Amino acid sequence: MSGMYSTFAFGVEKKEAGFTKFTIQRNEPGDHDVQFDVKFCGICHTDVHYADPNSQVTKYPLVPGHELAGVVTKVGSKVVDVKVGDEVGVGCISDSCQECSYCQEGEEQACLKGGTA
């Protein structure tokens, strides 16, 4: 890990605080990573439930959302198929290996090797 940087986010800083814009810390991109400015973000019913102050499992601060779209600002030294300025999207499944039998069948959520989220 090469360090951290500050950026803004929209979310809930603490229980019963409501949604606000605040500063968070993010990891600097590594050799295999892509960093991008988020232009659009999907929010689903699960995100809404986690943001509810009555949730017993929420950890704060909470920045809900997934299925992101934006413009690339940095790429790691080993990234070969994306460059700064490209428009990119990230679905709700990340870190699948793309090699196991499930990934090869298009079932990344059941990946045997990756830490899908």
Side-chain angles (χ1 to χ4, degrees):
M1 201 62 54
S2 60
M4 305 288 282
Y5 70 96
S6 296
T7 189
F8 75 90
F10 291 95
V12 182
E13 282 192 89
K14 57 187 174 183
K15 191 172 188 163
E16 300 185 25
F19 278 85
T20 60
K21 179 179 177 179
F22 58 96
T23 301
I24 61 171
Q25 296 293 305
R26 299 288 301 162
N27 296 324
E28 287 286 348
D31 290 341
H32 299 277
D33 297 329
V34 173
Q35 179 178 317
F36 61 98
D37 284 335
V38 176
K39 302 297 182 187
F40 304 97
C41 173
I43 303 252
C44 74
H45 70 282
T46 303
D47 298 316
V48 173
H49 289 296
Y50 270 91
D52 183 332
N54 295 314
S55 171
Q56 300 299 311
V57 296
T58 302
K59 295 179 182 176
Y60 297 94
L62 170 69
V63 179
H66 55 282
E67 298 178 344
L68 311 170
V71 178
V72 175
T73 57
K74 288 184 184 177
V75 295
S77 62
K78 296 185 180 176
V79 175
V80 295
D81 55 349
V82 178
K83 64 183 182 312
V84 172
D86 282 353
E87 295 177 334
V88 295
V90 178
C92 60
I93 304 294
S94 61
D95 294 330
S96 58
C97 75
Q98 297 297 301
E99 296 172 358
C100 72
S101 59
Y102 288 112
C103 285
Q104 291 298 308
E105 294 171 8
E107 302 292 337
E108 292 91 348
Q109 74 278 5
C111 178
L112 297 171
K113 299 178 187 176
T116 59

